[in-house]
């Protein structure tokens, strides 16, 4: 099996489908795409469902464009991916432009957003999730003991079975990072460009790493922000969510302690940390009236560490849970899950990219170890995903990152990041060798360029995108 997969991966990495000759037809984007105040148009690009049969079934991908209005300064195209996998990206150029993307970048590029294959307006897929499903997004629930791991495994198995049952068109097996990277090159060709730049954040960093690795000759300036450790999310990367939580939580705790008079959660960071465990363990025993349990609370705090702008809401949530009474019965609601599509794509790509352990004992052992090593969140990050029961085996190995090729990758990383900790960037940087430079912002949260607020990182990235000035060496940007 491993030899077959390796052979398929070698062949797949060499496949470059012919460039599509059809001229794109630009039109207003669908009404639900948030274009802000910018002139955004959308078009569709056909790509093969299966790149090993590029003349077979085609699917359509929707892309968006904010065109440069300065022909003298226009360099080419800059494609965007906001993360996920499963996140819609049609509005990503307008989102970043609205947050202050410099005018020099807007002049230099046509900004190209997209829904990647399976997402939103790009031949969407569905596992049929409903609002009452006891399933979690990209992090499984915190397991308080071994029995909780067993229970989660049963839920994960049902989810995997449902995804397989809903996959009547056989599309899920073709959702992978490698195929999405191939799609990027198809989009470049459809736009009539010899090369394409790329900005990817979070999981988008993995997609960008795969893209520049598969297509070193047709990629231009590449920016990878808030990094995974390679070209896919695997079990080690998931467990490192707990590492990121432990590293980032002290920033939140310090912020909250300085505001004890307002929130009453602890005079010192140590007291705030103690409050965290007090709330979590209380909710483990008896959920709040709205049904919030210890796993919900831990996940909500994890998400609250993504940005300082979320600290106040997270602190207020803690306040409400400290004073909550006994739980009230929860009402069922068999309505479609609003994130059904995103969850489906996340699972398909994550489970298709790499082999995941299948035996329950491995997860029980890992959860027990992670609970000791990362007491705040480890027993969530090490718990069972549906990938343990996924129908399909990977059709090829993950795209390999190596140090062969031109130096064109700028990596951005906050020193403290709850979901993509700095160790990820260090591992990916080492794999790229002299092909990349790493800019570490002395800050906290998920996301550096434009939204992170670090002037040095903003300036270095803009200079690279506009003028091609890659830093001579890895750089630390002070807060």
């Amino acid at each position: 099996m491993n030899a077959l997969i390796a052979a398929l991966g070698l062949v797949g990495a060499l496949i470059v489908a012919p460039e599509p000759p059809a001229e794109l037809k630009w039109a207003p984007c669908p009404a639900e795409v948030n274009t802000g105040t910018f002139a955004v148009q959308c078009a569709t690009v056909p790509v093969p469902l299966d790149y090993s049969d590029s003349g077979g079934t085609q699917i359509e991908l929707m892309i968006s464009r904010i065109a440069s209005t300065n022909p003298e300064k226009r360099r080419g195209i800059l494609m965007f991916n906001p993360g996920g996998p499963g996140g819609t990206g049609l509005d990503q150029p307008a989102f970043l432009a609205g947050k202050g993307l410099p005018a020099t970048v807007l002049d230099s590029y046509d900004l190209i957003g997209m829904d990647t294959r399976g997402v939103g307006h790009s031949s969407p897929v569905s596992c049929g999730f409903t609002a009452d499903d006891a399933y979690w997004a990209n992090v499984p629930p915190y397991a308080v003991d071994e029995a909780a791991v067993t229970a989660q495994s049963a839920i994960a198995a049902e989810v995997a079975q449902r995804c397989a049952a809903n996959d009547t068109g056989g599309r899920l097996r073709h959702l992978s990072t490698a195929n999405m990277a191939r799609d990027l090159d198809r989009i470049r060709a459809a736009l009539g460009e010899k090369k394409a730049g790329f900005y990817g954040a979070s999981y988008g960093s993995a997609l960008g790493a795969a893209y520049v690795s598969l297509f070193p000759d047709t990629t231009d300036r590449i920016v990878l922000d808030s990094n995974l450790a390679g070209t896919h999310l695997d079990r080690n990367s998931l467990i490192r969510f707990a590492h990121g939580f432990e590293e980032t939580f002290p920033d939140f705790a310090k912020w909250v302690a300085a505001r004890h008079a307002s929130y009453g959660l602890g005079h010192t960071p140590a007291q705030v940390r103690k409050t965290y465990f007090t709330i979590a363990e209380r909710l483990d025993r008896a959920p709040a009236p709205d049904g919030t349990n210890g796993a919900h609370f831990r996940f909500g705090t994890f998400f609250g560490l993504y940005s300082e702008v979320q600290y106040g809401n997270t602190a207020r949530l803690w306040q409400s849970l400290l004073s909550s009474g006994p739980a009230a019965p929860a009402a069922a609601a068999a309505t479609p899950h609003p994130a059904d599509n995103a969850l489906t794509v996340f699972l398909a790509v994550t489970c298709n990219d790499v082999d995941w352990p299948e035996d329950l004992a491995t997860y029980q052992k890992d959860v027990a170890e992670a609970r000791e090593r990362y007491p705040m969140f480890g027993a969530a990050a090490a718990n069972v995903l549906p990938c343990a029961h996924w129908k399909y085996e990977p059709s090829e190995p993950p795209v390999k990152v190596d140090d062969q090729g031109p130096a064109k990758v700028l990596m951005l990383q906050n020193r403290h990041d709850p979901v993509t900790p700095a160790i990820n960037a260090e591992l990916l940087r080492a794999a790229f060798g002299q092909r990349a430079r790493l800019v570490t912002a002395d800050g906290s949260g998920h996301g550096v360029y434009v939204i992170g607020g670090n002037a040095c990182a903003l300036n270095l990235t803009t200079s690279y995108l506009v003028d091609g000035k890659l830093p001579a060496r890895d750089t630390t940007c002070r807060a």
Side-chain angles (χ1 to χ4, degrees):
M1 174 65 75
N2 289 337
L4 175 59
I5 290 176
L8 287 171
L10 178 60
V11 173
L14 296 176
I15 291 176
V16 180
E19 298 184 0
E23 183 176 346
L24 299 185
K25 297 179 180 179
W26 295 100
C29 294
E32 63 271 21
V33 178
N34 185 1
T35 59
T37 60
F38 300 91
V40 185
Q41 291 182 307
C42 284
T44 57
V45 177
V47 300
L49 174 63
D50 181 355
Y51 275 93
S52 67
D53 180 21
S54 59
T57 301
Q58 304 289 298
I59 58 175
E60 287 196 333
L61 309 181
M62 182 170 284
I63 65 173
S64 64
R65 178 181 69 176
I66 299 178
S68 169
T69 58
N70 193 330
E72 292 183 359
K73 294 184 178 181
R74 182 187 182 278
R75 175 180 177 82
I77 60 171
L78 182 63
M79 298 192 286
F80 290 81
N81 183 270
T88 179
L90 289 172
D91 61 354
Q92 186 70 359
F95 169 78
L96 287 177
K99 291 294 184 181
L101 190 69
T104 49
V105 177
L106 290 163
D107 286 342
S108 298
Y109 298 96
D110 292 351
L111 308 183
I112 307 298
M114 69 195 70
D115 282 349
T116 52
R117 60 170 54 205
V119 174
H121 294 278
S122 293
S123 305
V125 293
S126 168
C127 283
F129 293 116
T130 60
D132 63 328
D133 282 325
Y135 173 64
W136 294 58
N138 57 355
V139 186
Y142 188 93
V144 295
D145 53 27
E146 194 170 274
V149 182
T150 302
Q152 171 59 17
S153 182
I155 293 172
E158 190 279 327
V159 168
Q161 292 164 7
R162 192 185 327 177
C163 289
N166 276 272
D167 186 28
T168 54
R171 292 186 175 184
L172 286 188
R173 71 175 67 197
H174 300 292
L175 269 64
S176 68
T177 301
N179 280 339
M180 289 194 292
R182 295 172 181 125
D183 291 344
L184 292 176
D185 202 56
R186 272 298 186 102
I187 292 169
R188 170 203 61 79
L191 291 168
E193 301 288 338
K194 293 182 178 180
K195 292 190 176 185
F198 180 84
Y199 169 87
S202 194
Y203 164 77
S205 68
L207 177 56
Y211 181 39
V212 73
S213 296
L214 285 178
F215 301 98
D217 297 329
T218 54
T219 44
D220 191 25
R221 297 165 185 170
I222 306 295
V223 178
L224 309 181
D225 189 336
S226 305
N227 298 267
L228 287 181
T231 61
H232 58 285
L233 177 68
D234 61 12
R235 184 146 174 77
N236 289 332
S237 294
L238 189 67
I239 291 175
R240 282 195 289 270
F241 287 7
H243 178 87
F245 189 116
E246 294 279 356
E247 284 191 332
T248 309
F249 183 83
D251 300 324
F252 168 75
K254 181 180 179 181
W255 187 96
V256 171
R259 294 159 177 80
H260 176 73
S262 294
Y263 296 109
L265 300 174
H267 289 281
T268 67
Q271 290 178 353
V272 174
R273 181 181 173 93
K274 183 178 180 180
T275 301
Y276 171 87
F277 287 109
T278 297
I279 298 173
E281 291 165 7
R282 172 182 171 181
L283 292 173
D284 288 337
R285 296 189 299 270
D290 65 356
T292 299
N293 58 30
H296 293 125
F297 167 70
R298 290 178 174 92
F299 180 79
T301 301
F302 171 68
F303 185 74
L305 301 180
Y306 273 45
S307 171
E308 187 175 312
V309 300
Q310 296 171 220
Y311 286 2
N313 285 335
T314 304
R316 189 172 67 243
L317 170 67
W318 283 33
Q319 285 182 297
S320 68
L321 294 174
L322 270 176
S323 59
S324 62
T335 56
H337 197 297
D340 169 47
N341 175 234
L343 297 180
T344 300
V345 175
F346 170 83
L347 284 178
V349 175
T350 301
C351 301
N352 289 338
D353 272 355
V354 66
D355 269 321
W356 288 71
E358 297 177 6
D359 60 302
L360 179 61
T362 294
Y363 291 93
Q364 291 174 330
K365 172 179 174 293
D366 288 350
V367 166
E369 291 178 354
R371 186 185 294 112
E372 292 297 319
R373 186 176 183 185
Y374 305 115
M376 304 193 82
F377 202 59
N383 207 352
V384 188
L385 279 180
C387 297
H389 305 279
W390 199 243
K391 176 181 179 180
Y392 306 113
E393 293 293 324
S395 61
E396 58 183 319
V399 176
K400 182 181 179 181
V401 174
D402 60 36
D403 58 1
Q404 302 301 306
K408 60 172 67 175
V409 179
L410 179 64
M411 299 173 58
L412 309 176
Q413 182 67 46
N414 279 322
R415 189 176 299 282
H416 295 158
D417 184 321
V419 61
T420 54
I423 183 62
N424 285 358
E426 294 166 11
L427 292 169
L428 183 59
R429 170 68 180 85
F432 271 123
Q434 288 306 303
R435 298 178 66 192
R437 299 292 185 274
L438 174 61
V439 173
T440 302
D442 191 14
S444 184
H446 192 50
V448 178
Y449 189 50
V450 179
I451 66 172
N454 185 289
C456 164
L458 175 72
N459 292 339
L460 288 173
T461 307
T462 300
S463 177
Y464 175 54
L465 287 173
V466 175
D467 301 317
K469 296 180 180 177
L470 196 65
R473 60 186 63 86
D474 291 350
T475 303
T476 296
C477 287
R478 299 188 182 280

Short mmCIF file of all heavy atoms in Angstrom, two decimals, residues 182-223:
data_model
loop_
_atom_site.label_atom_id
_atom_site.label_comp_id
_atom_site.label_asym_id
_atom_site.label_seq_id
_atom_site.Cartn_x
_atom_site.Cartn_y
_atom_site.Cartn_z
N ARG A 182 -2.99 22.32 -7.41
CA ARG A 182 -3.08 22.20 -8.87
C ARG A 182 -4.15 23.13 -9.43
O ARG A 182 -4.00 23.70 -10.52
CB ARG A 182 -3.36 20.74 -9.24
CG ARG A 182 -2.22 19.79 -8.87
CD ARG A 182 -2.58 18.33 -9.04
NE ARG A 182 -1.45 17.48 -8.64
CZ ARG A 182 -1.51 16.52 -7.74
NH1 ARG A 182 -2.65 16.25 -7.11
NH2 ARG A 182 -0.43 15.81 -7.44
N ASP A 183 -5.25 23.28 -8.67
CA ASP A 183 -6.29 24.22 -9.08
C ASP A 183 -5.75 25.64 -9.17
O ASP A 183 -6.12 26.40 -10.08
CB ASP A 183 -7.44 24.19 -8.08
CG ASP A 183 -8.24 22.90 -8.10
OD1 ASP A 183 -8.12 22.13 -9.08
OD2 ASP A 183 -8.99 22.66 -7.13
N LEU A 184 -4.89 26.02 -8.23
CA LEU A 184 -4.30 27.35 -8.26
C LEU A 184 -3.55 27.59 -9.56
O LEU A 184 -3.63 28.67 -10.16
CB LEU A 184 -3.37 27.56 -7.06
CG LEU A 184 -4.00 27.62 -5.67
CD1 LEU A 184 -2.90 27.73 -4.61
CD2 LEU A 184 -4.97 28.78 -5.56
N ASP A 185 -2.82 26.58 -10.01
CA ASP A 185 -2.08 26.77 -11.25
C ASP A 185 -3.02 26.83 -12.45
O ASP A 185 -2.74 27.53 -13.43
CB ASP A 185 -1.05 25.66 -11.44
CG ASP A 185 0.06 26.09 -12.39
OD1 ASP A 185 0.70 27.12 -12.12
OD2 ASP A 185 0.27 25.39 -13.40
N ARG A 186 -4.13 26.11 -12.39
CA ARG A 186 -5.13 26.21 -13.44
C ARG A 186 -5.75 27.62 -13.47
O ARG A 186 -6.01 28.18 -14.55
CB ARG A 186 -6.25 25.17 -13.21
CG ARG A 186 -5.98 23.82 -13.84
CD ARG A 186 -5.87 23.93 -15.37
NE ARG A 186 -5.76 22.64 -16.00
CZ ARG A 186 -6.76 22.00 -16.62
NH1 ARG A 186 -7.96 22.54 -16.66
NH2 ARG A 186 -6.54 20.84 -17.18
N ILE A 187 -6.00 28.18 -12.29
CA ILE A 187 -6.56 29.53 -12.23
C ILE A 187 -5.56 30.53 -12.81
O ILE A 187 -5.92 31.43 -13.57
CB ILE A 187 -6.92 29.88 -10.78
CG1 ILE A 187 -8.10 29.02 -10.32
CG2 ILE A 187 -7.26 31.37 -10.64
CD1 ILE A 187 -8.37 29.09 -8.84
N ARG A 188 -4.29 30.39 -12.44
CA ARG A 188 -3.25 31.25 -13.02
C ARG A 188 -3.28 31.21 -14.53
O ARG A 188 -3.27 32.24 -15.22
CB ARG A 188 -1.87 30.80 -12.53
CG ARG A 188 -0.71 31.49 -13.26
CD ARG A 188 0.56 30.67 -13.20
NE ARG A 188 0.46 29.37 -13.81
CZ ARG A 188 0.52 29.14 -15.12
NH1 ARG A 188 0.65 30.13 -15.99
NH2 ARG A 188 0.43 27.89 -15.58
N ALA A 189 -3.35 29.99 -15.10
CA ALA A 189 -3.34 29.85 -16.55
C ALA A 189 -4.60 30.44 -17.16
O ALA A 189 -4.55 31.09 -18.22
CB ALA A 189 -3.21 28.37 -16.90
N ALA A 190 -5.76 30.24 -16.49
CA ALA A 190 -7.01 30.77 -17.02
C ALA A 190 -7.00 32.30 -17.05
O ALA A 190 -7.66 32.91 -17.90
CB ALA A 190 -8.17 30.28 -16.17
N LEU A 191 -6.23 32.90 -16.15
CA LEU A 191 -6.13 34.36 -16.13
C LEU A 191 -5.07 34.88 -17.09
O LEU A 191 -4.84 36.09 -17.18
CB LEU A 191 -5.81 34.83 -14.70
CG LEU A 191 -6.95 34.64 -13.70
CD1 LEU A 191 -6.46 34.84 -12.27
CD2 LEU A 191 -8.10 35.59 -14.00
N GLY A 192 -4.42 33.98 -17.79
CA GLY A 192 -3.45 34.38 -18.80
C GLY A 192 -2.14 34.89 -18.24
O GLY A 192 -1.43 35.65 -18.91
N GLU A 193 -1.78 34.45 -17.03
CA GLU A 193 -0.57 34.93 -16.37
C GLU A 193 0.51 33.85 -16.41
O GLU A 193 0.23 32.66 -16.20
CB GLU A 193 -0.86 35.29 -14.91
CG GLU A 193 -1.91 36.37 -14.73
CD GLU A 193 -1.43 37.75 -15.13
OE1 GLU A 193 -0.19 37.97 -15.15
OE2 GLU A 193 -2.28 38.63 -15.39
N LYS A 194 1.76 34.26 -16.67
CA LYS A 194 2.87 33.30 -16.65
C LYS A 194 3.23 32.89 -15.23
O LYS A 194 3.72 31.77 -15.01
CB LYS A 194 4.09 33.92 -17.33
CG LYS A 194 3.91 34.13 -18.83
CD LYS A 194 5.17 34.68 -19.46
CE LYS A 194 5.01 34.84 -20.97
NZ LYS A 194 6.24 35.38 -21.60
N LYS A 195 3.00 33.79 -14.27
CA LYS A 195 3.29 33.48 -12.87
C LYS A 195 2.19 34.07 -12.00
O LYS A 195 1.48 34.99 -12.41
CB LYS A 195 4.65 34.03 -12.44
CG LYS A 195 5.84 33.34 -13.10
CD LYS A 195 7.14 33.77 -12.45
CE LYS A 195 8.33 33.00 -13.03
NZ LYS A 195 9.60 33.30 -12.33
N ALA A 196 2.07 33.55 -10.78
CA ALA A 196 1.08 34.05 -9.84
C ALA A 196 1.69 34.17 -8.45
O ALA A 196 2.39 33.27 -8.00
CB ALA A 196 -0.14 33.12 -9.80
N GLY A 197 1.39 35.27 -7.79
CA GLY A 197 1.74 35.41 -6.38
C GLY A 197 0.64 34.80 -5.52
O GLY A 197 -0.47 34.51 -5.99
N PHE A 198 0.95 34.60 -4.24
CA PHE A 198 -0.01 33.94 -3.36
C PHE A 198 0.19 34.42 -1.93
O PHE A 198 1.32 34.54 -1.45
CB PHE A 198 0.17 32.43 -3.41
CG PHE A 198 -0.77 31.66 -2.53
CD1 PHE A 198 -2.04 31.34 -2.95
CD2 PHE A 198 -0.37 31.25 -1.26
CE1 PHE A 198 -2.92 30.63 -2.13
CE2 PHE A 198 -1.23 30.54 -0.43
CZ PHE A 198 -2.51 30.23 -0.88
N TYR A 199 -0.94 34.70 -1.25
CA TYR A 199 -0.94 34.97 0.19
C TYR A 199 -1.89 33.98 0.84
O TYR A 199 -3.08 33.92 0.51
CB TYR A 199 -1.41 36.40 0.50
CG TYR A 199 -1.68 36.62 1.98
CD1 TYR A 199 -0.65 37.00 2.84
CD2 TYR A 199 -2.95 36.41 2.50
CE1 TYR A 199 -0.88 37.17 4.20
CE2 TYR A 199 -3.20 36.58 3.86
CZ TYR A 199 -2.17 36.96 4.70
OH TYR A 199 -2.40 37.12 6.04
N GLY A 200 -1.37 33.18 1.77
CA GLY A 200 -2.20 32.21 2.48
C GLY A 200 -2.00 32.33 3.97
O GLY A 200 -0.87 32.43 4.45
N ALA A 201 -3.11 32.31 4.71
CA ALA A 201 -3.06 32.41 6.17
C ALA A 201 -3.58 31.14 6.80
O ALA A 201 -4.49 30.49 6.28
CB ALA A 201 -3.89 33.60 6.65
N SER A 202 -3.00 30.75 7.94
CA SER A 202 -3.42 29.57 8.68
C SER A 202 -3.28 28.33 7.78
O SER A 202 -2.19 28.08 7.27
CB SER A 202 -4.85 29.77 9.19
OG SER A 202 -5.18 28.81 10.17
N TYR A 203 -4.36 27.56 7.57
CA TYR A 203 -4.24 26.44 6.63
C TYR A 203 -3.80 26.92 5.25
O TYR A 203 -3.14 26.18 4.51
CB TYR A 203 -5.57 25.69 6.51
CG TYR A 203 -5.60 24.79 5.30
CD1 TYR A 203 -4.92 23.58 5.31
CD2 TYR A 203 -6.23 25.20 4.12
CE1 TYR A 203 -4.89 22.77 4.18
CE2 TYR A 203 -6.20 24.41 2.99
CZ TYR A 203 -5.53 23.20 3.02
OH TYR A 203 -5.49 22.41 1.89
N GLY A 204 -4.11 28.17 4.90
CA GLY A 204 -3.65 28.72 3.62
C GLY A 204 -2.15 28.68 3.48
O GLY A 204 -1.62 28.67 2.36
N SER A 205 -1.43 28.66 4.61
CA SER A 205 0.03 28.54 4.54
C SER A 205 0.42 27.15 4.02
O SER A 205 1.39 27.01 3.27
CB SER A 205 0.65 28.78 5.91
OG SER A 205 0.32 27.73 6.82
N ALA A 206 -0.34 26.12 4.42
CA ALA A 206 -0.07 24.77 3.93
C ALA A 206 -0.36 24.67 2.44
O ALA A 206 0.40 24.06 1.68
CB ALA A 206 -0.91 23.75 4.70
N LEU A 207 -1.48 25.29 2.02
CA LEU A 207 -1.80 25.31 0.60
C LEU A 207 -0.73 26.06 -0.19
O LEU A 207 -0.29 25.62 -1.26
CB LEU A 207 -3.17 25.95 0.38
CG LEU A 207 -3.64 26.10 -1.06
CD1 LEU A 207 -3.64 24.78 -1.80
CD2 LEU A 207 -5.02 26.75 -1.10
N GLY A 208 -0.27 27.19 0.33
CA GLY A 208 0.79 27.94 -0.35
C GLY A 208 2.09 27.18 -0.41
O GLY A 208 2.81 27.22 -1.42
N ALA A 209 2.42 26.46 0.67
CA ALA A 209 3.64 25.66 0.67
C ALA A 209 3.57 24.55 -0.37
O ALA A 209 4.55 24.24 -1.05
CB ALA A 209 3.88 25.08 2.06
N ALA A 210 2.38 23.95 -0.51
CA ALA A 210 2.20 22.92 -1.54
C ALA A 210 2.27 23.52 -2.93
O ALA A 210 2.87 22.94 -3.85
CB ALA A 210 0.86 22.21 -1.33
N TYR A 211 1.67 24.68 -3.10
CA TYR A 211 1.63 25.35 -4.41
C TYR A 211 3.03 25.68 -4.90
O TYR A 211 3.42 25.35 -6.04
CB TYR A 211 0.77 26.60 -4.28
CG TYR A 211 0.61 27.41 -5.55
CD1 TYR A 211 0.45 26.81 -6.79
CD2 TYR A 211 0.57 28.81 -5.48
CE1 TYR A 211 0.27 27.58 -7.94
CE2 TYR A 211 0.39 29.57 -6.62
CZ TYR A 211 0.26 28.96 -7.84
OH TYR A 211 0.09 29.71 -8.98
N VAL A 212 3.84 26.31 -4.06
CA VAL A 212 5.17 26.71 -4.50
C VAL A 212 6.09 25.50 -4.65
O VAL A 212 7.05 25.53 -5.42
CB VAL A 212 5.78 27.75 -3.53
CG1 VAL A 212 6.20 27.12 -2.21
CG2 VAL A 212 6.95 28.49 -4.17
N SER A 213 5.77 24.41 -3.94
CA SER A 213 6.57 23.19 -4.07
C SER A 213 6.25 22.43 -5.35
O SER A 213 7.15 21.89 -6.01
CB SER A 213 6.34 22.29 -2.85
OG SER A 213 6.79 22.91 -1.67
N LEU A 214 4.97 22.38 -5.72
CA LEU A 214 4.58 21.69 -6.94
C LEU A 214 4.88 22.51 -8.19
O LEU A 214 5.18 21.96 -9.25
CB LEU A 214 3.09 21.36 -6.91
CG LEU A 214 2.63 20.19 -6.04
CD1 LEU A 214 1.11 20.04 -6.11
CD2 LEU A 214 3.31 18.90 -6.44
N PHE A 215 4.81 23.83 -8.06
CA PHE A 215 4.94 24.71 -9.23
C PHE A 215 5.97 25.81 -8.98
O PHE A 215 5.64 27.01 -8.97
CB PHE A 215 3.58 25.32 -9.58
CG PHE A 215 2.52 24.30 -9.88
CD1 PHE A 215 1.60 23.92 -8.92
CD2 PHE A 215 2.46 23.69 -11.13
CE1 PHE A 215 0.63 22.97 -9.19
CE2 PHE A 215 1.50 22.74 -11.43
CZ PHE A 215 0.58 22.37 -10.45
N PRO A 216 7.22 25.45 -8.79
CA PRO A 216 8.24 26.47 -8.51
C PRO A 216 8.47 27.44 -9.66
O PRO A 216 8.90 28.58 -9.43
CB PRO A 216 9.50 25.64 -8.23
CG PRO A 216 9.26 24.34 -8.95
CD PRO A 216 7.79 24.09 -8.83
N ASP A 217 8.18 27.02 -10.89
CA ASP A 217 8.46 27.87 -12.05
C ASP A 217 7.33 28.83 -12.40
O ASP A 217 7.56 29.82 -13.10
CB ASP A 217 8.77 27.00 -13.27
CG ASP A 217 10.03 26.17 -13.08
OD1 ASP A 217 10.93 26.63 -12.36
OD2 ASP A 217 10.08 25.05 -13.63
N THR A 218 6.10 28.53 -11.95
CA THR A 218 4.98 29.41 -12.30
C THR A 218 4.43 30.16 -11.09
O THR A 218 3.40 30.81 -11.19
CB THR A 218 3.85 28.60 -12.98
OG1 THR A 218 3.47 27.51 -12.14
CG2 THR A 218 4.30 28.09 -14.33
N THR A 219 5.11 30.06 -9.96
CA THR A 219 4.74 30.86 -8.80
C THR A 219 5.66 32.08 -8.72
O THR A 219 6.82 32.04 -9.11
CB THR A 219 4.85 30.05 -7.50
OG1 THR A 219 6.08 29.30 -7.51
CG2 THR A 219 3.68 29.11 -7.36
N ASP A 220 5.08 33.16 -8.18
CA ASP A 220 5.83 34.41 -8.05
C ASP A 220 6.13 34.63 -6.56
O ASP A 220 6.66 33.73 -5.91
CB ASP A 220 5.00 35.54 -8.67
CG ASP A 220 5.76 36.84 -8.82
OD1 ASP A 220 7.00 36.80 -8.91
OD2 ASP A 220 5.11 37.91 -8.89
N ARG A 221 5.79 35.75 -6.01
CA ARG A 221 6.08 36.05 -4.61
C ARG A 221 5.03 35.39 -3.70
O ARG A 221 3.83 35.59 -3.89
CB ARG A 221 6.12 37.56 -4.41
CG ARG A 221 7.25 38.19 -5.22
CD ARG A 221 7.13 39.69 -5.35
NE ARG A 221 8.19 40.19 -6.25
CZ ARG A 221 8.24 41.43 -6.72
NH1 ARG A 221 7.31 42.32 -6.40
NH2 ARG A 221 9.23 41.78 -7.53
N ILE A 222 5.51 34.61 -2.74
CA ILE A 222 4.65 33.79 -1.88
C ILE A 222 4.77 34.28 -0.44
O ILE A 222 5.88 34.41 0.09
CB ILE A 222 5.06 32.31 -1.95
CG1 ILE A 222 5.08 31.81 -3.40
CG2 ILE A 222 4.14 31.46 -1.08
CD1 ILE A 222 3.74 31.80 -4.09
N VAL A 223 3.62 34.54 0.19
CA VAL A 223 3.59 34.95 1.60
C VAL A 223 2.76 33.94 2.37
O VAL A 223 1.59 33.71 2.04
CB VAL A 223 3.01 36.36 1.77
CG1 VAL A 223 2.94 36.73 3.26
CG2 VAL A 223 3.85 37.39 1.01
#
